[in-house]
Every structure is written in C-alpha cells, then in structure tokens.
Amino acid sequence: MTAMRLTLDDVIRATGGRLEGGAPSQAVPITGISTDTRLLRPGDLFVALRGPQRDGHDFIADAFARGAAAALISRHTSPGPERRARAGPLIEVSETLPALGDLAAFYRRTLRVRVVGVTGSVGKTATAAMCAAVLEGTYRVARTRDDWNAEIGVPLTILGLDDRTGVAVLEMAMRGVGQIADLVRIARPEIGVVTNIGESHLELLGSIENVARAKGELIEGLPRRGTAVLNAEDDWVLRLRDRSPVPVLTFGLIASADVRADGVTFTDDGMRFRLVRGDGMGEVSLKSWGVHSVRNALAAAAVAQVMSVGVEEVAARLAGLTPPKMRLQPLRLRDILVINDAYNASPASMTAAFEVLRHVAGGRRRIVVLGEMKELGGQSAALHRAAGREAASVGAVLIIAGGADAAELAAGAREAATGAVVYLEPDAPEAAARLRRIIHPGDVVLIKGSRVVAMERVVDTLREDLQSPDQIRS
C-alpha cells in the first residue's frame, strides 16, 4: 500500500494558506488527515474545525503532542494558550471547513480512482452500500461512512483513499442549493445515481422543485465519459434526463426501465426478484424487506452494468449483503417481531415501512410506534397528518412519541375513521413505557422516527425487558 503523498507545500498550495512563522522545510510529509485528536496518528495534518459543541482550535497543542505534522487553522481565531504552545507548523486559512474541501479536491486529482456519487431524498445509504457490495470483488472499493455524507465526510473520505483504491462510492447529502455541486467539484464522480426526489429538506429548500434542483447538481456535474443512473418510476428524477450532459441508464419496476425487476415477492427474511438487464437476467435474494429495497438494488445493478460487472456476480453479492442497522431491521424478541426502522423518517420512508408491515405481519396484531419527521417546513403539519392516516390504515394500534408535530400524527390517525387505538406520549421513553404495558406475545411492532427523536430507545427498552433477543439474521 502506498500512503498519502502530500507535503506541507501541497497543503499551502491547495488551500491558499499562509505558513505562520515559517517551518524547517515545506517538504514536511503529510501522511494522513485528522479532525479529531483522539484518532490522530503521527504524521497527520490536524484540521481545526469549529462546530456547535467544540472548536478544534482548542486542541492544537494536543494534536502536536500526539505527533501531528502540522495544523490547519482559521486566521479568524484569536491566539490562545494552545496556539502559543504549539510545537509545529501552522497553516492559516480564512476558514478551515472550505479549506478541507479544497485540499480534498487537490488530492483527488492525484488519484486514478473511479467515483460513484449517490444522492436522493431517501435511500442514499442503503443504495451506496449495495453499490459498494456489487462492485467489491471486481474492484477494491471504498465508501463513505453512513454519517459521512456531506461537506466534512466526503472530503475526509477522499483524503482517506490511496492508490490501490479502484472505486469510491460516495453518498452525497445536502442542506441547500449548491452544496452537492461543491461535493461534485471535490469528488469528481463519473457515475451519478439519484434514488428519488421527495419532501425531505422542504424546511431548508422550500419546495420540491428546489429539492430537484439541488439533487440535479450531481447529474449536471458529471464529465463527458460519465453516466447518469436515474429512477424510472420517479417523475422528478426522470426530469433530470433533460439536464444530463451524459448518457442515462434508468432503473425501476416498470417495463420501460433499462434495469428492472420482475416477479418481486416478499419472503420470510427479505425480497426475491428476477433482475433484468440488457446483458442478461439473474435471480436475486435480498436480506432486507420492501419494494424500495428492490429499487435500491436495481440502482446498484445499473452501476454494476456501467462498471462491467456481470449479472451473476451482482446477484451473488447482493445475496450476501447484510442491511444497515435500524433500517427495517427485523429482530425477534422472544415471540415478538420488532421491525426496527429507527434510523430516520420522511414521508416516503414512512410509506415504505407501512408497506413492509402489511406484508410481514400477516394475521398477527400490529403495533406502530412513531416519532415525528423533521425538515418538512411549512408542509410539516399536513404531511404528518397524512402519515398518521396512512399508519392507521395498516390496522395497527398506534403509539405516537412527542414532538412539535406528534399531535398531527395522532390527529391524522384518529380522523382516518379506521377505529385505530391511538396513544399520544410526550417522548420516546414514555412511548416505550406505553408499549411495555400493551404488548402481547405474537405481536409485530414497527418502530420509526427521525434521528433527533431517538426511537431506538424504544427498541433498547424492549431488549432489556425481554432479555437476550434472538436476531432473525446476523
């Protein structure tokens, strides 16, 4: 393995920074990048980022004590004892976060890696994981960590690559127009995947048109040799075809899709379907539930086609993939089936979760424990009411955890006129307490909510009550 090949002079040129006080030699080697002194290794460049909780500039002395080769700092930070106590070179830039992106863009140009960018309102993480899985074995693959999908994580992922990496699969999230364009500038993907375009981020972007505009930045930024991979069943995604400077490959469950699924069925522990591509067909089994999981797999199969990975290899690699935790993850706690979908929530993912519950519960009693959704802006109340009505339609007992729009979820469920029993609780712990009082042997329980609601605490409570759970699959 060849380690990162950067020098202090490279960092200065990439960021436009100024070396404070000079240094013994600007040829000082940089062998890694760190934003956390607890994870820093000797030879790393320490990038002092400022966050809502901590300021990396307070840890400069600690970074040098742990062997940092240099530190990248903001010139707008007033000198403190940590900075005066430094024991190595400091590179001053206007702001360290954009400088981190500039450094990653510089380093990316030294690599021959092929980059796949994945974006969408929901399903980015699962699709990125599937893309990496179907390519691994043919290429040496790296991908962003599940929580490294924006302006810090994507640069750090790029800076963690080396000359052995064949493909990097990068999840690209955003909170506003222009942010994906910046990630594209840094990562230079040649394949761009858009899973779907929905109501997520309405609070920040104001309209679904703006969401589509922001997601489309990935497609617009592809190079001439690139390929756009688009969801054939999503009208907003398909509109990006007109903005694409490169050939388009579509995926979906409809006959017009270039990469499609036939014979989709639910199984006891996942999904089964026939993968149909221009170069052949193959039988695929997934260890995850839901038609949305099939669509994610089709997106990955389309990427694999662009990368010349055969249908049989795709099918085998998808069959061996374990889905991410807290994303429709089935757990059997004694004789109670829990569907843990606590990672996050949006209107589209709510619908997908309810669909799974319908198919897997059969004749068993259904309980749905819901937390509110976030970042829906002025449409939040209406979308929560609609989700509440949809939850009631699956014939479940409903427990709603507190939050600004929890009452709207409850109101929607009650106005659905299904006779559903609805409990409105102030928070996730109280929702867990309510669940403990009403749960029966043989029940099927769906648990879902946005990250900030921390609905996994409900799952943790059940684990503790029912002792050692026997997971359906590892």
Side-chain angles (χ1 to χ4, degrees):
M1 173 178 177
T2 302
M4 170 183 282
R5 292 189 297 266
L6 287 177
T7 66
L8 201 60
D9 187 54
D10 290 330
V11 176
I12 293 168
R13 288 192 292 116
T15 64
R18 180 179 68 84
L19 189 62
E20 183 184 281
S25 171
Q26 292 191 14
V28 170
I30 304 294
T31 56
I33 307 295
S34 178
T35 61
D36 186 337
T37 56
R38 294 167 297 183
L39 304 176
L40 187 145
R41 295 170 299 183
D44 282 357
L45 170 71
F46 175 63
V47 181
L49 298 177
R50 290 184 289 188
Q53 305 295 327
R54 295 183 177 182
D55 186 341
H57 294 83
D58 296 334
F59 299 90
I60 293 172
D62 183 40
F64 284 122
R66 293 172 183 263
L72 188 68
I73 67 171
S74 168
R75 68 172 57 101
H76 300 299
T77 301
S78 56
E82 293 83 4
R83 182 165 165 184
R84 288 194 296 268
R86 64 174 173 81
L90 300 177
I91 302 170
E92 280 192 328
V93 294
S94 180
E95 290 291 346
T96 50
L97 180 55
L100 176 65
D102 292 339
L103 181 59
F106 176 93
Y107 183 62
R108 168 68 180 92
R109 291 193 292 272
T110 71
L111 301 170
R112 291 176 292 182
V113 64
R114 301 177 72 180
V115 174
V116 179
V118 180
T119 194
S121 294
V122 294
K124 293 184 295 295
T125 300
T127 301
M130 288 183 176
C131 287
V134 298
L135 298 175
E136 189 69 69
T138 304
Y139 303 92
R140 183 172 183 262
V141 180
R143 80 173 180 97
T144 42
R145 281 181 8 189
D146 291 355
D147 55 348
W148 273 24
N149 58 12
E151 67 270 28
I152 298 175
V154 169
L156 288 178
T157 302
I158 292 290
L159 289 162
L161 304 178
D162 58 61
D163 61 0
R164 291 193 308 162
T165 308
V167 179
V169 180
L170 306 182
E171 182 183 342
M172 294 183 171
M174 57 87 202
R175 291 185 300 277
V177 172
Q179 291 188 334
I180 288 180
D182 199 43
L183 297 179
V184 169
R185 175 189 66 82
I186 294 167
R188 297 167 63 201
E190 71 175 69
I191 300 174
V193 181
V194 183
T195 61
N196 45 61
I197 293 173
E199 295 91 349
S200 300
H201 308 301
L202 284 180
E203 181 177 16
L204 299 165
L205 291 167
S207 69
I208 196 165
E209 289 85 356
N210 284 340
V211 175
R213 178 184 169 197
K215 298 297 184 184
E217 292 168 359
L218 170 58
I219 304 305
E220 292 172 328
L222 294 174
R224 288 184 182 178
R225 66 181 184 280
T227 304
V229 176
L230 303 180
N231 184 345
E233 299 178 80
D234 188 310
D235 289 340
W236 284 103
V237 174
L238 272 186
R239 292 182 192 184
L240 299 180
R241 186 197 296 266
D242 296 333
R243 295 163 55 184
S244 176
V246 299
V248 170
L249 193 65
T250 62
F251 65 90
L253 278 69
I254 57 178
S256 60
D258 298 316
V259 179
R260 72 177 193 272
D262 288 342
V264 177
T265 58
F266 279 76
T267 67
D268 288 343
D269 62 352
M271 306 296 293
R272 184 176 296 121
F273 65 94
R274 181 180 302 107
L275 169 64
V276 181
R277 296 194 324 194
D279 58 342
M281 296 185 295
E283 297 296 327
V284 177
S285 296
L286 296 178
K287 295 177 182 176
S288 54
W289 280 319
V291 173
H292 67 287
S293 293
V294 175
R295 291 192 184 96
N296 296 340
L298 292 174
V303 170
Q305 180 175 326
V306 177
M307 301 290 289
S308 302
V309 178
V311 170
E312 292 185 1
E313 289 86 353
V314 169
R317 292 166 187 174
L318 286 173
L321 179 65
T322 299
K325 293 181 179 179
M326 297 196 298
R327 293 173 175 84
L328 291 170
Q329 178 187 14
L331 304 170
R332 194 173 299 279
L333 307 178
R334 294 186 184 174
D335 54 357
I336 295 168
L337 175 60
V338 177
I339 304 172
N340 179 3
D341 201 29
Y343 183 77
N344 217 333
S346 68
S349 67
M350 285 277 194
T351 297
F354 299 146
E355 176 198 42
V356 168
L357 180 62
R358 284 190 185 95
H359 280 87
V360 304
R364 302 169 70 178
R365 190 173 77 134
R366 307 164 186 188
I367 300 176
V368 175
V369 188
L370 293 180
E372 65 177 333
M373 300 174 284
K374 292 294 186 182
E375 298 183 356
L376 298 179
Q379 298 186 45
S380 185
L383 291 169
H384 277 85
R385 278 193 176 244
R389 290 192 295 271
E390 194 173 8
S393 74
V394 302
V397 175
L398 300 177
I399 302 174
I400 312 294
D405 284 306
E408 297 294 343
L409 278 170
R414 288 172 178 144
E415 70 186 23
T418 61
V421 177
V422 182
Y423 301 97
L424 179 59
E425 302 295 345
D427 53 31
E430 288 300 320
R434 172 67 67 178
L435 179 60
R436 292 165 69 179
R437 294 195 293 272
I438 68 170
I439 198 166
H440 295 156
D443 286 348
V444 179
V445 183
L446 169 65
I447 300 172
K448 185 167 184 62
S450 284
R451 274 315 307 119
V452 295
V453 188
M455 295 301 288
E456 65 272 16
R457 291 179 291 180
V458 180
V459 180
D460 293 340
T461 297
L462 283 181
R463 286 181 186 274
E464 293 169 4
D465 286 353
L466 301 175
Q467 298 177 352
S468 299
D470 175 26
Q471 295 196 20
I472 291 177
R473 61 179 186 273
S474 60

